[in-house]
Amino acid sequence: MYKKLSTRTANRLLCGGQIINISSVSPDGVSDVMTAAWNCPYDADQVLIVLDRGHTTTANILDNGKFVISIPSEDDIRTINKVGSAHGRDVGDKFVWAGIESDKSQILGLDVIPNALAYIECELINRDVLDKTGVCLGKAVNIYVKDGLWDDEGSHFGEGMKLTLSYVHEGLYRVNGREVKV
C-alpha cells in the first residue's frame, strides 16, 4: 500500500535539501547573502544551484559572475533563517541588516557568514542559462574547509558531512539524521 502525495513534494523525496548560503555583491558594492536548499554537484569542480530569477542574488551574479557558497552548521540556524527571511532589494546590505560581522572570502573578497564548515568561491559558467532558467552553474576557483572536517586519505568531506544541515520544512532541519526544530 502507498500514500498519495502532492506533486509539489517531489523535491522533498529526492533529498533533504542541504542548506547553503550564497554570498554576492551588487555593482554598487552592496553585499548580499541568501539561504538556499536547491543545490548539487554538477561536475568535479562545478556546482549547480537553483535561484529565483527575481532575487537580488541572481541579479548580482548575472552582473559580475561571482559568488561564494558557504556550508553552515547547526550553530548558524538562527542566522541563516534571518538572512533567508528578507530580500536584499528590501533591506539593502543583508550583513548590516542582520547584524552579522562578515568575513571576506579568500580569493574573490566577497562578504561571507563567518565560521562556516566550508566555502566554495565560484565564477558563473553560463550567464544565459541563469538568466533564462534560474539554474546557476558555477566553476570553483577556490575551496577551503574548516580543519578536521576533510578526510585527506579518502578525499571527502567525512566529518564535515555529519555537521551539514538539511532543510525539511518550515523551521525543521536534519543534522546527521537528527531533527532540529527552530
Side-chain angles (χ1 to χ4, degrees), residues 15-60:
C15 72
Q18 179 183 342
I19 294 294
I20 61 172
N21 289 109
I22 305 158
S23 295
S24 64
V25 66
S26 76
D28 301 329
V30 178
S31 293
D32 187 60
V33 61
M34 68 169 284
T35 302
W38 292 18
N39 59 88
C40 65
Y42 186 68
D43 204 341
D45 64 346
Q46 297 173 14
V47 297
L48 182 151
I49 54 179
V50 180
L51 301 169
D52 184 304
R53 292 183 300 155
H55 283 188
T56 305
T57 300
T58 307
N60 291 346

Side-chain angles (χ1 to χ4, degrees), residues 18-106:
Q18 179 183 342
I19 294 294
I20 61 172
N21 289 109
I22 305 158
S23 295
S24 64
V25 66
S26 76
D28 301 329
V30 178
S31 293
D32 187 60
V33 61
M34 68 169 284
T35 302
W38 292 18
N39 59 88
C40 65
Y42 186 68
D43 204 341
D45 64 346
Q46 297 173 14
V47 297
L48 182 151
I49 54 179
V50 180
L51 301 169
D52 184 304
R53 292 183 300 155
H55 283 188
T56 305
T57 300
T58 307
N60 291 346
I61 295 170
L62 285 169
D63 179 67
N64 63 34
K66 296 175 182 7
F67 60 99
V68 178
I69 293 172
S70 57
I71 302 174
S73 70
E74 184 175 350
D75 295 339
D76 300 314
I77 290 176
R78 294 199 190 291
T79 300
I80 65 174
N81 280 346
K82 184 160 189 168
V83 300
S85 70
H87 291 286
R89 67 177 172 264
D90 299 330
V91 300
D93 186 316
K94 274 213 208 163
F95 290 91
V96 172
W97 171 80
I100 301 167
E101 273 195 52
S102 64
D103 282 343
K104 293 284 185 188
S105 65
Q106 292 179 346

Side-chain angles (χ1 to χ4, degrees), residues 3-17 37-38 167-168:
K3 178 180 181 165
K4 182 160 178 57
L5 300 176
S6 164
T7 56
R8 306 256 325 140
T9 62
N11 65 311
R12 292 184 182 167
L13 287 175
L14 293 176
C15 72
W38 292 18
Y167 178 76
V168 179

Side-chain angles (χ1 to χ4, degrees), residues 126-144:
N126 190 318
R127 187 184 191 288
D128 289 338
V129 169
L130 176 57
D131 191 34
K132 291 177 184 168
T133 67
V135 173
C136 179
L137 301 173
K139 179 170 179 49
V141 297
N142 188 38
I143 301 172
Y144 47 109

